[in-house]
Amino acid sequence: MKKKMAVIGSCSMDITLITPHRPAQGETVIGTDIHISPGGKGANQAVAAARLGATVYMVGCIGSDMYGEMIRENLSREGINVAYLAELPDEHTGTAYITLADGDNSIIVMRGANNAVTVSYIESIWHGIADADLVLLQNEIPLPTIQYIIDRCDKEHIDVLLNPAPMLSLAEVYLDKVRYITPNEHELELLYPGLNLEAALQRGKGRLLVTQGAQGVAYWQDGIKTAPAYRVEAVDTTGAGDTFNGAFAAAILQGQDLESSIRFGNAAASLSVQKLGAQGGMPHLEAVREVLK
Ligand code: RIB
């Protein structure tokens, strides 16, 4: 039977403003374009995994508004199960305001309905999560919910991949309970204060993958290893990390080993940055196989 992935996280609408240069403090600049498209780290990772053949359930909350409707339709079109995506009449769908200059972004997230992914909501739909082979989590839902899910998955022997973005401090006891954790270098400093990369990787053994942008992904397998990133011209890096996480998770569920799952994630991420929008460039399986050749 095909393995099941439950992504528990944020669904937002991304409002991307394209500008020749990033405004400095107190400066006004004239934008050249505006792009409105589905995002949110949770939904992005769900889409990345689904496009690569994974069976994905999206667990989260949207508002009863136009953005929420667009997000639900988008996830369904991608073949993602939305039975546990709650629509809340008193909430606004989450939004992210993205400034895109020189292919790189700065983001402000308004969590909106993503704040309603509470412990009691998760308890109420746990039957939809209990048979998952892998749970994917990010830091755009409330911290108590993240802690509850990690604890419960640990007790019920469900593997968790935690992408600790955006940065939030989480006690080490939780880090030890997840199967994989995928910080970037800044997030790593907060998770393992005072440890350098090597010491953190040694401590995290096998479960810690540090994404280093253009340098690739560092991990531990009988010593430090780095899976290099593919060199490409980036149009928009938004969602590159999400693509890596979704693709890596899909590969792990398909039975690939750690190293080839990381390479698979890197190949998918290299394709995602070549198009506009968090989900715009997320590849299907054939395209990733081409890169890996
Ligand atoms: O990781 C990229 C995502 O972060 C965007 O889609 C935006 O919604 C923010 O949450």
Side-chain angles (χ1 to χ4, degrees):
M1 207 174 71
K2 237 178 130 191
K3 296 200 164 168
K4 169 173 166 179
M5 181 189 302
V7 181
I8 311 177
S10 57
C11 296
S12 301
M13 194 52 83
D14 288 354
I15 296 146
T16 303
L17 301 172
I18 301 166
T19 162
H21 77 269
R22 205 171 303 284
Q25 193 173 349
E27 186 188 8
T28 302
V29 297
I30 304 292
T32 52
D33 213 346
I34 181 166
H35 186 74
I36 299 179
S37 56
K41 293 184 193 303
N44 290 344
Q45 294 182 17
V47 169
R51 285 196 190 162
L52 296 167
T55 300
V56 183
Y57 283 61
M58 180 75 223
V59 179
C61 293
I62 50 176
S64 290
D65 49 27
M66 188 178 72
Y67 286 161
E69 201 40 51
M70 287 163 73
I71 286 168
R72 182 192 292 284
E73 273 171 22
N74 179 60
L75 291 170
S76 302
R77 210 172 24 244
E78 297 285 350
I80 295 165
N81 188 307
V82 291
Y84 306 107
L85 183 66
E87 186 181 312
L88 307 174
D90 297 330
E91 300 283 351
H92 291 294
T93 297
T95 40
Y97 300 86
I98 303 176
T99 303
L100 180 63
D102 296 327
D104 218 339
N105 62 47
S106 341
I107 306 181
I108 297 176
V109 170
M110 296 304 297
R111 292 208 291 194
N114 296 308
N115 269 335
V117 186
T118 56
V119 170
S120 61
Y121 176 62
I122 296 299
E123 276 175 331
S124 73
I125 51 98
W126 189 259
H127 54 277
I129 299 169
D131 62 344
D133 298 283
L134 183 65
V135 163
L136 249 71
L137 283 177
Q138 318 73 29
N139 283 345
E140 285 186 336
I141 56 173
L143 184 59
T145 312
I146 296 167
Q147 292 168 333
Y148 172 82
I149 295 166
I150 294 175
D151 274 334
R152 187 147 180 191
C153 285
D154 180 52
K155 280 197 198 97
E156 299 185 18
H157 308 292
I158 303 168
D159 282 346
V160 172
L161 185 162
L162 171 66
N163 172 222
M167 220 151 35
L168 261 187
S169 133
L170 193 65
E172 201 167 330
V173 58
Y174 291 102
L175 308 184
D176 291 342
K177 288 180 181 176
V178 300
R179 181 70 190 83
Y180 300 105
I181 179 159
T182 57
N184 63 23
E185 289 158 299
H186 306 292
E187 292 149 5
L188 183 74
E189 278 176 36
L190 194 70
L191 292 174
Y192 294 97
L195 294 191
N196 64 20
L197 180 66
E198 179 165 1
L201 283 170
Q202 230 171 335
R203 175 91 63 91
K205 274 206 183 101
R207 67 163 64 93
L208 179 61
L209 317 178
V210 183
T211 56
Q212 300 176 297
Q215 283 171 51
V217 175
Y219 62 105
W220 187 272
Q221 204 169 50
D222 307 320
I224 291 195
K225 299 263 164 61
T226 300
Y230 294 81
R231 291 202 178 282
V232 293
E233 193 72 37
V235 172
D236 182 2
T237 54
T238 311
D242 298 331
T243 308
F244 172 81
N245 279 278
F248 171 79
I252 287 286
L253 275 191
Q254 284 155 13
Q256 295 192 41
D257 64 21
L258 183 67
E259 187 189 341
S260 43
S261 297
I262 295 173
R263 288 183 49 229
F264 188 85
N266 279 348
S270 76
L271 290 163
S272 81
V273 299
Q274 296 179 53
K275 288 197 185 143
L276 190 61
Q279 298 174 16
M282 284 177 179
H284 290 89
L285 203 48
E286 271 317 300
V288 177
R289 286 196 179 131
E290 269 308 302
V291 173
L292 289 169
K293 269 187 202 162

Short mmCIF file of all heavy atoms in Angstrom, two decimals, residues 18 36 50 60 89 91 140 145 221 241 246 262 293:
data_model
loop_
_atom_site.label_atom_id
_atom_site.label_comp_id
_atom_site.label_asym_id
_atom_site.label_seq_id
_atom_site.Cartn_x
_atom_site.Cartn_y
_atom_site.Cartn_z
N ILE A 18 7.15 42.75 -6.94
CA ILE A 18 8.46 42.67 -7.59
C ILE A 18 9.00 44.08 -7.77
O ILE A 18 8.28 44.98 -8.23
CB ILE A 18 8.33 41.92 -8.93
CG1 ILE A 18 7.78 40.52 -8.62
CG2 ILE A 18 9.69 41.82 -9.64
CD1 ILE A 18 7.29 39.76 -9.79
N ILE A 36 -0.16 37.23 -7.16
CA ILE A 36 -0.90 36.66 -6.03
C ILE A 36 -1.05 35.16 -6.26
O ILE A 36 -1.60 34.74 -7.29
CB ILE A 36 -2.28 37.34 -5.88
CG1 ILE A 36 -2.06 38.84 -5.62
CG2 ILE A 36 -3.09 36.72 -4.74
CD1 ILE A 36 -3.31 39.66 -5.47
N ALA A 50 3.28 16.15 -3.30
CA ALA A 50 2.23 15.56 -4.15
C ALA A 50 2.66 15.53 -5.61
O ALA A 50 2.44 14.55 -6.32
CB ALA A 50 0.93 16.35 -3.99
N GLY A 60 -4.92 21.73 8.29
CA GLY A 60 -4.71 23.14 8.60
C GLY A 60 -6.02 23.89 8.65
O GLY A 60 -7.09 23.27 8.69
N PRO A 89 -15.37 30.45 9.79
CA PRO A 89 -16.10 31.66 9.40
C PRO A 89 -15.58 32.94 10.06
O PRO A 89 -15.71 34.02 9.50
CB PRO A 89 -17.55 31.38 9.83
CG PRO A 89 -17.51 30.15 10.68
CD PRO A 89 -16.22 29.45 10.43
N GLU A 91 -12.43 33.75 10.84
CA GLU A 91 -10.99 34.00 10.65
C GLU A 91 -10.71 34.45 9.22
O GLU A 91 -11.42 34.07 8.30
CB GLU A 91 -10.19 32.71 10.90
CG GLU A 91 -10.34 32.12 12.27
CD GLU A 91 -9.53 32.85 13.33
OE1 GLU A 91 -8.71 33.73 12.97
OE2 GLU A 91 -9.74 32.56 14.52
N GLU A 140 4.85 27.62 11.28
CA GLU A 140 3.88 28.70 11.03
C GLU A 140 2.53 28.43 11.68
O GLU A 140 1.54 29.07 11.34
CB GLU A 140 3.73 28.94 9.51
CG GLU A 140 4.93 29.67 8.93
CD GLU A 140 4.80 30.06 7.48
OE1 GLU A 140 4.00 29.43 6.75
OE2 GLU A 140 5.49 31.00 7.07
N THR A 145 0.98 23.67 19.66
CA THR A 145 0.46 22.64 18.75
C THR A 145 1.61 21.79 18.20
O THR A 145 1.52 20.55 18.14
CB THR A 145 -0.31 23.29 17.57
OG1 THR A 145 -1.20 24.26 18.09
CG2 THR A 145 -1.06 22.27 16.75
N GLN A 221 26.88 11.41 8.32
CA GLN A 221 26.82 9.97 8.04
C GLN A 221 28.27 9.48 8.16
O GLN A 221 29.06 9.69 7.23
CB GLN A 221 26.27 9.71 6.64
CG GLN A 221 25.65 8.34 6.50
CD GLN A 221 24.86 8.23 5.19
OE1 GLN A 221 25.37 8.57 4.12
NE2 GLN A 221 23.64 7.78 5.27
N GLY A 241 13.14 26.13 0.03
CA GLY A 241 13.25 25.26 1.21
C GLY A 241 12.05 24.33 1.31
O GLY A 241 12.20 23.15 1.66
N GLY A 246 9.51 18.96 0.97
CA GLY A 246 8.46 18.11 0.40
C GLY A 246 9.06 16.99 -0.44
O GLY A 246 8.64 15.82 -0.36
N ILE A 262 18.29 13.28 -0.09
CA ILE A 262 18.78 14.67 -0.03
C ILE A 262 19.09 15.16 -1.45
O ILE A 262 18.73 16.28 -1.84
CB ILE A 262 20.03 14.79 0.87
CG1 ILE A 262 19.65 14.45 2.33
CG2 ILE A 262 20.62 16.19 0.80
CD1 ILE A 262 20.83 14.36 3.28
N LYS A 293 20.00 12.83 -13.68
CA LYS A 293 20.80 12.13 -14.68
C LYS A 293 22.16 12.80 -14.83
O LYS A 293 23.12 12.32 -15.27
CB LYS A 293 20.09 12.19 -16.04
CG LYS A 293 19.15 11.03 -16.28
CD LYS A 293 18.66 11.14 -17.72
CE LYS A 293 17.34 10.37 -17.86
NZ LYS A 293 16.63 10.80 -19.08
#
